Each structure stands twice: as structure tokens, then as C-alpha cells.
Amino acid sequence: MTIPDRATGSSVSRAGSRFWSAVLALAVFLVDVLTPLEGAIAVLYVVAILLAARTNRRNDIIVAATGCAALTIAAYLFSHGLEPIASPAFRAVVSLAAIAITTLLALQNHAATNRLAAQARLLNLSHDMIFARDRTGLVNFWNKAAEQTYGWPASDALGRSADELLQTTYPDRREAIEAALLETGRWEGRVEQRTKAGVTLTVDARWAVQHDHLGKPVGVLETHTDVTDRVAAHSALVQSEQRYRRMFDASRIGVVEEDWSDVRATLEALDTRGAGLRDHLARHPDVVRSARRLARITDVNPAMQKMVGADSSSVFITNVDRLLGENDRSFLGALLAFANGEPFYEGETEIVRLDGRKVPVLFTITFPAGPDGDRNVLAFVIDITERRQAQDALLAAQADLAHAARVATLGEISASIAHEVNQPLAAIVTSGEAGLRWLRRDVPDLKEVATTIGHVVAQGRRASEIVSRIRNFLKKAPPQQDELQISEIIEEATALVAREFAKDDVVLAIETEPGLPPIRGDRIQLQQVLVNLLINAGQAMSGQSGSRTVMLRTGNVDGENLVITVQDSGPGIGPDDLRRLFDPFFTTKHGGMGMGLAICRTTVEAHGGQLSAESIPGSGATFRLTLPFSQQHTSP
């Protein structure tokens, strides 16, 4: 295969080609006009056109052809005038036809030459070494990358045998490779070649046979990629792997190789619905359990085998869930560290031996960076059975302190239950007393009695639902996640506080923006938040002589969040109290437990929202609650 190069394809300069083309055309004209020769002398203009074509310029070909045609016509007119003479006219037409055909062929050859030159330039842009050879093995094209890599310029490489020039060493017999090439049309393999400087290169070779229009092989195009550094890096990697394997097997610390790629895919596909990953996993322990099964063990060292009472590593080709106990909590921390991109995680847990006995261990899990890091997670495990036994005496001495801590925790939960249940119980008592008063009239008002009994039943159910929710929370049952209309929740919450507001002469004003999208959450929890905020607003104005007004407004924030504000006309909250307003057990009310607002904020944050308060002393207090709209209804 020969690919022309316009920079070196002509030994005659463009100016010289133009000059000799013009000289030849003038000579043919003079001979045609001044000599008595009767032959088609003008046909020799073809040679002048071919000389012009050697400049590889399209305009030169057209100018030369136009000039030769004009000279042919001028010579005919000069010799014969306008009288038609059969034989000279025929010769003139033949000459013009020859000029036209030659011009057309020259232009086609020029276009083909330009295409081949463009292809050659593209091959020269490649970073791979590319050269072409004929059937005898002689090089007839040599690109720039080959010049730079092998050190041989194209002028030295063209016409020489590629195998001899590069001293190529093949992985198989040369004859067998050539036979396979001719049979399939392609061959790929790794060979070694030497540069002009004597450096040995390892290259990946790809050969393709070139065929003529009859399908006969006429040459071979070879593309070579230098992989010397890659092969050297691979060899170094193999040596490193061998050293690692020796350390892996000889270590007295248990080492576990794990593949967390499936864990990564699961975390990326996880829908936390706006909550933090830690909160989401805490509410969905099944996700953590599933991730334990997805973290696959690929290898363990002999020290780890001995730690769990195994004879070989084959029993470990399973998942991490096989080693961890039912009550393990360390995997959650490791999972969060892995999701947050931390390089390692340390902890303490118990692993389960094959005989069922539990072994206390300290561990460090490393999460390597890089594209394959998830497949090469390493866990280093140390048996701390003896240390655990030494700590038992200390743990026994600390039993009383631990018991006190548990009692304090139980007391906090009990306070929450009492605070949540107290409001419906108080409403039940109030409604019951009102019902008794209607019954004790001279003429009992049964309609009002039925209404108050309905309130008693509703409040009783509300208390039951609160207890049920708290029990579900204690059992780590996931909260209800339903689509809710805020107008319905407000209607239910205001109905629950209506009697207390009426008793204290509190006016409740509600401004609701129409057409608000639904939110997603737990109806009872959100209803209880609004009830607490409304009750607090009403109580903040107790003993106030002026008007008592609570304003409840709802609106839309940027099409993504619902905002609810509860504003009272009371004395407001002092700056020092405002900073501690949401702290557990902090209260400004006589007889209060200080859990209401703390519970409200926790509930709102669990729904992906925020609860804040602001106040100017003497101008009342405003509580601002934001909740995200359901994702199915938010604006794109």
C-alpha cells in the first residue's frame, strides 16, 4: 500500500512544473502553426496538462487545460480560418477531446490524492505506531508515531523489511502467524521489537490484510501500541501481590477481604425521602441487615480461620452476615463511614464461631479509594477475649451506675408519654364533666350529651393512638408515611383545642393558602405537633387582660416546602429563654415538664422539616414550621 504525501511526493517544485508545462504548451502551439505536419500535434497538449497536474493544485490543472484548449483553437483558426475543413477540424476536435479527458482524469486523480493525503495525515495524528507493508514484507508507509517511537525516519524505513528493521520477536512461528492472518484477514498478539537506539519494546500488534478490487491480498496494515510500561507495571504488581500474600498468610491478626460493590449500588439507589442517612437507617434496620448480606467475603487468612474454628477459607466464601451476631451494631457505623467516603472505620463487636460460640473482637475496616476500592475492602480483626474477661470485674462494679442511667432514660420516656397523653386525658375529663352537667339539667339535653360523649371517644382514641405510636417507636417500628392534606390536619388539631380556647377567651384565626400540595408523614405525630403549638400559644396569654388572639397561617415556599406559622399576642419570650426553648426538660410554665417543644422539634426533623421560634418581648411569639411537600407533587 502506497500513500502519497504532498510534502514529499514530487521531486520537481511547483514553480518548475508550471514553467515546463507552459514551455511545452507554447512549443506544441508553434509546431502546430509553423510546420506543415498534418498529424494531431495538439494532442501533445496532454503532456503539458500532466506536467501541471504534478503541482497537486486543482487551479493549475484547470488553467493549463484552459490554456491548451485555447491554443488548440487558436492554431486551427490561424492555419485554416473559419472555413470548415474535414480532416483538420476532426484533428482539432480529437485534440480538444483528449485535453478534456486528460483534464477530467487529472482532476479525479487530484481528488483521490487529496483523500489519501488526508488519510495519511490522520494516521500521522495517531499515538500508535502504524506502518504498511506489501506481500513481501517491505515497508511502504511509516507514520510519525513510528518515527518517534522506533527512531527510524520514514526515508530509512521505506523499502526495508519490517521484521529485519525492528528485529521483531513473535510469540509463535512467523509462518503460522502469517497463515492465520491470510485465513482470517486479521491477527492480534504481543511482540517484542527493538528501536534504532537498541531499546527493547513490548507492543500489542494488530494486523489487517488489504485487498485489491479483485479480493486479492496486496498488503498488510500493522498498528502497534507500546505497552512496555504497562507490562512492567503488571510485573511489579504481580511481585507486590506475592509480597502481600506472604504477609496476609503470615500475619497473626485476622484479615478478611471483602467486596462491597453491591453495598455501594444499594446505598446509591436508596431513597431517604429527605432524611439523613443515619436517621433513615435507624428507622429501617432491614436495610442494614440487607447490606450485611451484600458485603461478600472473598478471602480470609489462616489467623482468621483459627479465630472462628475453621479448617480452610472455603467456608468463608459467603457474606459478612455469616460472621456477625443478631445483635451486632458495629456494621451500621461501618456502613455510614463507607457511605460518607471515610478511609476506615474502627469498632468493637462479637463474631460467631462455627460452633456457635461468640468471640469479642476489635476491628478496623479500610475502604480503599479508586474505581476498584469497593472490591478490596479489608477488615483487620483482633481477638480480645482475654481483655473482655478482665473487664468483666470492672463492668460488675459499674452495674449500679448503668442501672441509674437506664432509670434516667426510662424516666425521660415516661415524661414524654405523660406529656403526650395528658392532653387527650384532660380533654376527656372536660368533656365528661360537660356531659354530666347536660344530664343533670331538669330536662337533659341528650344531643349535647351525645356530642360530649363523641368527644370523649375521640379523645380516648387519640390517647390510644399516641400510646400505640410510642410503643411502635420503642419497637423501632417505622412511622406511618401517608400523603396528607395540611388542611385536614389543621381542622382536626383546631377541633381538639377549640374548647380550651373558648374557655380562656382565645380567638383562633386561620389563613390557609388554597391549592397546597400534600405532604408525606404520620398524621398523629403532625397533629400532635400542631396541638402542642396551639396549646402553648393559648397558655402564653393566660392572665392577659387584653385581647387574646392566635393566628395560624399556611403557605408555599418555592414550590418545595410547606410553611406553617403559629403566632400569639402574648408577652413574648425572653432572649435567654429563647435560646433554650427546645432543650428537653426546660420550661417556663408552672408545673410544666419541658418536653413538648423538644418532642415537636424531633418529630418535625424526622419528617425532613424544621421548627424554629422567634419573639420580640411584648409583641408575642411566632413558631415557624416547614415541611417538604410530597415528591410526587413538587414542581420540576
Side-chain angles (χ1 to χ4, degrees):
M1 179 177 69
T2 302
I3 301 177
D5 189 339
R6 287 190 294 181
T8 60
S10 177
S11 60
V12 181
S13 67
R14 291 192 179 97
S17 295
R18 295 189 187 103
F19 173 77
W20 289 112
S21 175
V23 169
L24 180 59
L26 181 61
V28 172
F29 174 76
L30 294 175
V31 171
D32 192 18
V33 171
L34 301 178
T35 63
L37 297 176
E38 296 296 331
I41 300 300
V43 173
L44 296 177
Y45 286 123
V46 169
V47 179
I49 295 173
L50 294 177
L51 281 174
R54 298 190 65 180
T55 65
N56 284 326
R57 294 295 180 89
R58 186 173 184 274
N59 289 340
D60 290 346
I61 298 173
I62 295 174
V63 169
T66 303
C68 290
L71 290 174
T72 300
I73 296 171
Y76 176 81
L77 294 175
F78 184 81
S79 300
H80 305 287
L82 297 175
E83 296 181 3
I85 302 175
S87 179
F90 176 75
R91 288 194 299 272
V93 170
V94 170
S95 298
L96 291 174
I99 292 172
I101 293 172
T102 302
T103 302
L104 178 62
L105 294 176
L107 291 175
Q108 290 179 345
N109 181 69
H110 174 267
T113 300
N114 284 344
R115 286 195 298 270
L116 290 175
Q119 293 173 2
R121 287 194 298 272
L122 289 177
L123 293 178
N124 281 329
L125 293 176
S126 173
H127 294 290
D128 292 336
M129 299 83 77
I130 301 175
F131 60 85
R133 57 180 173 84
D134 58 22
R135 288 296 310 278
T136 64
L138 300 181
V139 176
N140 52 33
F141 174 74
W142 190 263
N143 78 336
K144 295 295 184 182
E147 288 185 345
Q148 296 170 358
T149 303
Y150 294 128
W152 296 96
S155 58
D156 293 342
L158 295 178
R160 296 184 61 180
S161 170
D163 285 353
E164 294 177 0
L165 182 69
L166 301 176
Q167 302 179 37
T168 306
T169 302
Y170 293 97
D172 198 357
R173 291 185 305 107
R174 182 68 171 78
E175 296 78 7
I177 293 175
E178 193 72 19
L181 174 66
L182 293 176
E183 180 180 356
T184 63
R186 293 185 176 275
W187 178 81
E188 295 184 5
R190 182 164 291 178
V191 300
E192 290 186 352
Q193 296 174 329
R194 293 178 67 84
T195 67
K196 186 178 181 180
V199 178
T200 300
L201 301 179
T202 302
V203 300
D204 282 340
R206 296 173 296 281
W207 297 358
V209 177
Q210 181 189 16
H211 299 85
D212 60 14
H213 65 284
L214 299 176
K216 181 180 178 181
V218 294
V220 176
L221 181 68
E222 296 192 18
T223 304
H224 292 179
T225 303
D226 186 1
V227 294
T228 305
D229 293 340
R230 190 190 311 169
V231 171
H234 177 72
S235 177
L237 179 61
V238 170
Q239 295 178 3
S240 176
E241 287 288 341
Q242 292 174 348
R243 290 195 299 269
Y244 165 74
R245 173 53 62 177
R246 288 194 296 269
M247 291 187 293
F248 183 81
D249 293 337
S251 175
R252 298 182 62 184
I253 297 175
V255 183
V256 184
E257 284 186 330
E258 301 172 4
D259 182 349
W260 283 44
S261 55
D262 292 339
V263 178
R264 173 77 69 187
T266 298
L267 290 176
E268 291 177 349
L270 198 62
D271 181 11
T272 61
R273 301 186 182 278
L277 181 61
R278 180 182 295 274
D279 294 337
H280 182 82
L281 294 179
R283 295 197 301 269
H284 299 83
D286 56 308
V287 176
V288 180
R289 187 65 185 221
S290 175
R292 282 173 47 162
R293 292 191 292 268
L294 292 175
R296 296 185 295 106
I297 295 176
T298 57
D299 198 5
V300 296
N301 72 336
M304 190 67 191
Q305 298 173 31
K306 181 180 179 181
M307 195 180 302
V308 297
D311 297 330
S312 67
S313 62
S314 59
V315 297
F316 288 93
I317 307 304
T318 176
N319 50 59
V320 172
D321 196 54
R322 170 70 179 77
L323 288 178
L324 300 178
E326 292 290 333
N327 299 321
D328 173 76
R329 294 291 179 268
S330 63
F331 188 81
L332 174 59
L335 192 61
L336 291 170
F338 176 70
N340 294 330
E342 298 178 13
F344 65 90
Y345 178 77
E346 298 177 345
E348 182 175 342
T349 188
E350 292 181 337
I351 61 174
V352 182
R353 288 172 50 92
L354 297 182
D355 58 11
R357 186 162 56 90
K358 294 182 177 180
V359 179
V361 296
L362 285 176
F363 68 89
T364 298
I365 302 180
T366 62
F367 304 110
D372 295 328
D374 294 348
R375 301 181 184 275
N376 297 287
V377 175
L378 292 178
F380 301 91
V381 185
I382 300 176
D383 185 350
I384 57 170
T385 301
E386 295 181 357
R387 193 178 80 170
R388 178 65 62 82
Q389 292 172 350
Q391 288 177 340
D392 286 345
L394 178 61
L395 293 177
Q398 294 175 341
D400 291 339
L401 180 61
H403 176 71
R406 288 194 297 272
V407 169
T409 302
L410 180 61
E412 181 178 345
I413 296 175
S414 299
S416 301
I417 297 173
H419 183 88
E420 296 297 326
V421 176
N422 181 61
Q423 291 179 358
L425 291 180
I428 289 173
V429 171
T430 301
S431 298
E433 291 174 348
L436 289 175
R437 287 196 299 271
W438 291 115
L439 284 173
R440 289 169 181 166
R441 285 191 169 191
D442 296 336
V443 179
D445 191 335
L446 298 182
K447 182 177 180 180
E448 289 292 338
V449 171
T451 300
T452 55
I453 292 176
H455 289 157
V456 170
V457 172
Q459 295 297 331
R461 288 176 177 172
R462 177 186 165 209
S464 175
E465 289 175 346
I466 292 172
V467 173
S468 176
R469 290 291 186 267
I470 295 174
R471 291 182 61 187
N472 289 337
F473 173 76
L474 292 175
K475 294 178 181 179
K476 291 192 175 181
Q480 299 292 333
Q481 290 292 326
D482 301 321
E483 282 199 352
L484 307 171
Q485 293 292 339
I486 190 62
S487 58
E488 298 177 359
I489 297 176
I490 291 176
E491 181 180 354
E492 295 169 355
T494 54
L496 295 175
V497 302
R499 287 186 176 274
E500 291 197 27
F501 275 22
K503 180 182 65 176
D504 295 335
D505 295 328
V506 176
V507 177
L508 176 61
I510 302 175
E511 294 181 2
T512 303
E513 182 178 324
L516 291 174
I519 58 176
R520 181 171 290 275
D522 187 290
R523 176 183 296 272
I524 297 300
Q525 291 183 4
L526 295 178
Q527 176 183 315
Q528 190 64 32
V529 169
L530 285 179
V531 169
N532 281 338
L533 295 179
L534 293 172
I535 291 296
N536 288 346
Q539 292 177 349
M541 297 179 292
S542 61
Q544 183 173 298
S545 58
S547 63
R548 304 174 185 179
T549 304
V550 174
M551 176 64 71
L552 190 153
R553 296 185 178 93
T554 63
N556 189 327
V557 180
D558 299 330
E560 296 182 356
N561 293 286
L562 168 73
V563 60
I564 304 172
T565 58
V566 178
Q567 182 179 6
D568 63 62
S569 59
I573 306 171
D576 294 336
D577 293 341
L578 191 62
R579 287 193 295 268
R580 303 176 56 196
L581 198 60
F582 295 99
D583 292 346
F585 301 107
F586 173 77
T587 181
T588 59
K589 296 185 295 185
H590 178 71
M593 290 182 290
M595 290 300 300
L597 291 177
I599 294 171
C600 287
R601 170 172 278 187
T602 301
T603 301
V604 171
E605 291 177 350
H607 283 73
Q610 294 181 345
L611 178 61
S612 61
E614 57 186 26
S615 175
I616 299 176
S619 300
T622 301
F623 288 83
R624 180 182 177 88
L625 164 65
T626 61
L627 291 169
F629 291 124
S630 175
Q631 294 184 358
Q632 298 178 356
H633 298 270
T634 54
S635 302

